Amino acid sequence: MRIVSADTGGALLDGEYEPIGLIATAAVLVEKPFRTASLSIVKYSNPFDYDTSGRDAIKDETLLALKLAKKVKPDVIHLDSSLGGIPVRHLDDVTIDALRISDRGKAVWHDIGKELRPIVKRFWENTGIDVLAVGKSSVAVRVAEIYAGLYSTKWGIEYALKEGAARIGLPRYMKVELKRGILRGESLDPREGGLYGEIFPEVEEPVSIEVYPNPVARTFMVVEIKV
């Protein structure tokens, strides 16, 4: 089984360790043994001007996943939206109203569904590949989340090279390490079977990376980067 998934994560933090805005949307191809990505791509956002409603994140994740899927032809696409695994092409207004989610969640899907549903439906008609709103139960979504944290750290390194320092909040239950030019992220949850990811930030100047718990958000780690 070959799964493409996408997720948005990693945040630029202020001096009080609160998120300013999210940084990276990652799309990944995950294959057996389902511990990491065979391939990944990224779309960066501007954390200083970020839509916190969730609309932009879902849209970016869907379109980036479709972009990768056109290249690698997976069996299925998993999105980070916990709607019970329903195909996104089925999310018309009646179906959305019947979902057991919050009114805010329904409002978001009513809004973006009008744009995304025809795109996803056309993709399914052309390829036979379904886009499922699976959410956090998907291992592939979790791998995408780890890669979003990795790419956010990469963004933080590049930001620190310009500004002198950066403080990045990672997704839940993960850590990162920069060693011999490889930026590696690992799940800290022992129940996840050793999920990890690796990217290559191409750092030319020496940087200091310190990883420690976020003092105001339990289960989240902070990456502090200094040049």
Side-chain angles (χ1 to χ4, degrees):
M1 188 178 190
R2 303 170 75 246
I3 307 169
V4 161
S5 185
D7 195 22
T8 302
L12 181 65
L13 303 179
D14 63 18
E16 303 300 319
Y17 293 93
E18 296 292 344
I20 296 170
L22 298 182
I23 297 169
T25 298
V28 297
L29 171 65
V30 180
E31 305 172 280
K32 188 178 178 180
F34 308 111
R35 289 193 179 94
T36 191
S38 305
L39 187 66
S40 68
I41 59 175
V42 64
K43 178 183 184 296
Y44 291 107
S45 300
N46 177 4
F48 296 103
D49 183 23
Y50 190 82
D51 170 29
T52 58
S53 71
R55 288 170 173 82
D56 284 354
I58 295 173
K59 179 180 176 181
D60 287 346
E61 288 161 16
T62 304
L63 297 180
L64 197 66
L66 291 176
K67 179 180 178 180
L68 181 58
K70 289 175 183 176
K71 179 178 180 180
V72 300
K73 305 293 190 300
D75 298 302
V76 69
I77 297 172
H78 288 179
L79 294 185
D80 181 27
S81 190
S82 299
L83 305 182
I86 187 172
V88 174
R89 59 189 170 89
H90 290 168
L91 288 176
D92 56 20
D93 287 341
V94 174
T95 303
I96 292 169
D97 284 334
L99 293 171
R100 294 184 177 181
I101 60 175
S102 67
D103 290 341
R104 179 178 176 273
K106 290 179 181 179
V108 168
W109 271 106
H110 276 303
D111 184 17
I112 63 174
K114 292 179 175 63
E115 179 180 358
L116 292 181
R117 194 166 68 93
I119 296 172
V120 168
K121 185 177 180 181
R122 185 163 58 249
F123 182 80
W124 171 77
E125 290 171 345
N126 292 337
T127 66
I129 301 170
D130 240 333
V131 181
L132 307 182
V134 178
K136 300 300 184 186
S137 63
S138 167
V139 168
V141 166
R142 174 59 169 158
V143 172
E145 185 177 45
I146 289 172
Y147 271 83
L150 280 171
Y151 281 114
S152 294
T153 304
K154 179 178 182 291
W155 182 96
I157 291 171
E158 293 170 357
Y159 181 84
L161 289 172
K162 297 176 184 177
E163 303 296 331
R167 185 177 287 158
I168 305 297
L170 293 173
R172 190 186 303 267
Y173 293 119
M174 75 167 287
K175 65 177 182 178
V176 297
E177 180 184 31
L178 179 62
K179 193 172 183 180
R180 292 191 293 271
I182 300 173
L183 186 62
R184 182 182 174 93
E186 298 180 2
S187 168
L188 290 171
D189 189 337
R191 300 167 297 180
E192 291 188 330
L195 302 183
Y196 71 95
E198 291 180 343
I199 62 173
F200 305 91
E202 299 179 357
V203 181
E204 295 181 0
E205 297 182 43
V207 296
S208 167
I209 292 184
E210 182 182 7
V211 180
Y212 55 88
N214 188 321
V216 300
R218 188 173 64 87
T219 74
F220 292 90
M221 303 296 283
V222 174
V223 183
E224 190 148 345
I225 305 161
K226 298 179 181 178
V227 178

